[in-house]
């Protein structure tokens, strides 16, 4: 398992290379999925108008390929402009289930100051899987991605 610094360095290198933005976003999802065993579903949504549209993901197929701002944990992150960590998704009313096995979720915004470009969304089958350490790692990756917008 690579350290947070190593993961961030890899994504930064890719973001600073000639690779396309789409490839950089696919790479970020791949490296996070590979390096963190408790990340069961890893994806990126991009904000288009007032809808989040799936860009790429690794994990079980989801029917939530498009999510209105305000809906679910993903939409809430955008409407409130705040990252979300949910320890037990079964306790939420405003939740869009991708898989019945999912127990916890983290959403970290890809942004520059007040402008939101999208988000990194991760589900885990474990309860309370995400900590501030995950938020810190994902925020650094998100900053790297934001540099491409
Ligand atoms: N659970 C999210 C929907 C996206 S899936 O987790 C991939 C939500 O409530 O917004």
């Amino acid at each position: 398992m690579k350290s947070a610094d190593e993961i961030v360095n890899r994504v930064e290198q890719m973001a600073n290379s000639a690779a396309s933005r789409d490839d950089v976003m696919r790479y970020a999802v791949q490296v996070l999925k590979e390096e963190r065993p408790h990340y069961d579903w890893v994806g990126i949504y991009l904000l288009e108008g007032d809808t989040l549209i799936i860009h790429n993901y690794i994990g079980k197929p989801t029917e939530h390929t498009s999510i209105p701002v305000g809906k679910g944990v993903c939409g809430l992150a955008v409407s409130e402009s705040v990252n979300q960590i949910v320890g037990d998704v079964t306790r939420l009313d405003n939740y869009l289930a991708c898989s019945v096995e999912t127990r916890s979720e983290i959403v970290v915004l890809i942004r520059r100051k007040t402008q939101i470009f999208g988000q990194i969304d991760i589900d885990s089958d474990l309860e309370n899987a995400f900590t501030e350490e995950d938020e810190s790692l994902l925020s650094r990756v998100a900053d790297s991605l934001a540099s491409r917008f």
Side-chain angles (χ1 to χ4, degrees):
M1 203 168 97
K2 291 189 175 58
S3 69
D5 284 349
E6 279 176 278
I7 294 173
V8 173
N9 284 342
R10 285 183 171 223
V11 176
E12 261 170 13
Q13 266 178 22
M14 190 74 173
N16 293 331
S17 78
S20 70
R21 182 167 78 194
D22 287 339
D23 280 349
V24 178
M25 290 192 288
R26 277 190 279 268
Y27 180 74
V29 164
Q30 204 182 314
V31 73
L32 289 169
K33 180 76 179 77
E34 273 169 18
E35 297 301 332
R36 290 293 178 270
H38 61 298
Y39 292 5
D40 290 297
W41 189 99
V42 180
I44 289 178
Y45 286 90
L46 294 182
L47 187 60
E48 291 184 19
D50 50 13
T51 307
L52 287 160
I53 308 286
I54 195 89
H55 177 273
N56 86 100
Y57 68 92
I58 302 175
K60 291 196 182 136
T62 178
E63 61 190 30
H64 301 297
T65 53
S66 142
I67 301 174
V69 167
K71 284 270 161 66
V73 183
C74 294
L76 195 67
V78 177
S79 59
E80 302 210 324
S81 205
V82 173
N83 295 337
Q84 306 285 318
I85 295 183
V86 181
D88 182 358
V89 297
T90 64
R91 290 170 178 273
L92 283 191
D93 293 331
N94 185 21
Y95 175 66
L96 306 171
C98 272
S99 146
V100 287
E101 276 112 47
T102 299
R103 290 305 301 277
S104 55
E105 177 160 9
I106 184 169
V107 175
V108 171
L109 294 165
I110 301 169
R111 67 191 311 168
R112 185 177 306 113
K113 296 188 179 153
T114 56
Q115 196 180 0
I116 295 173
F117 306 113
Q119 60 187 217
I120 302 172
D121 176 27
I122 302 183
D123 289 347
S124 179
D125 296 349
L126 303 172
E127 196 176 329
N128 289 318
F130 305 108
T131 65
E132 282 173 13
E133 240 174 78
D134 297 288
E135 187 178 0
S136 155
L137 162 65
L138 297 171
S139 300
R140 291 169 70 196
V141 170
D143 283 349
S144 207
L145 298 177
S147 72
R148 280 305 204 95
F149 284 80

